[in-house]
Amino acid sequence: IFYKDILNILMGRDIEYFYDFEKSLLDLKHHINNRIIIDKIKILYELKNNIIYNVNNNLVLDKLFIRFEEVEND
């Protein structure tokens, strides 16, 4: 949901959930782009399915951090 709000700001839409963090979200706008946010949202959806299928939670978290790091370094 947090990444959705960042994407909304990048696209010129209103914040839907994190109104209290508007200043922080606006600051992030200058340091991130649409592709990174969309890639991170895709990763979260993929890993959510792993949790549904009862994959080890520690493994899912490790994979999350590794894949997020890869997205930011591309």
Side-chain angles (χ1 to χ4, degrees):
I1 297 171
F2 182 75
Y3 285 116
K4 184 177 179 186
D5 271 349
I6 294 173
L7 189 59
N8 283 337
I9 286 177
L10 289 172
M11 298 181 79
R13 298 181 193 158
D14 293 333
I15 296 172
E16 294 182 38
Y17 302 99
F18 291 94
Y19 304 108
D20 295 340
F21 298 97
E22 183 175 4
K23 184 182 180 326
S24 298
L25 291 170
L26 290 171
D27 289 342
L28 280 173
K29 176 181 177 178
H30 304 290
H31 302 287
I32 203 159
N33 64 41
N34 292 358
R35 185 194 57 81
I36 291 173
I37 295 298
I38 292 169
D39 287 348
K40 286 185 176 186
I41 291 172
K42 285 179 186 177
I43 291 168
L44 288 169
Y45 277 119
E46 291 171 16
L47 294 177
K48 178 183 169 192
N49 288 331
N50 288 342
I51 293 172
I52 291 171
Y53 293 116
N54 209 17
V55 174
N56 182 315
N57 290 335
N58 289 335
L59 181 63
V60 172
L61 284 174
D62 287 345
K63 200 171 197 179
L64 172 73
F65 292 124
I66 290 168
R67 293 195 53 201
F68 268 27
E69 197 63 34
E70 289 171 355
V71 167
E72 290 183 14
N73 290 330
D74 283 345

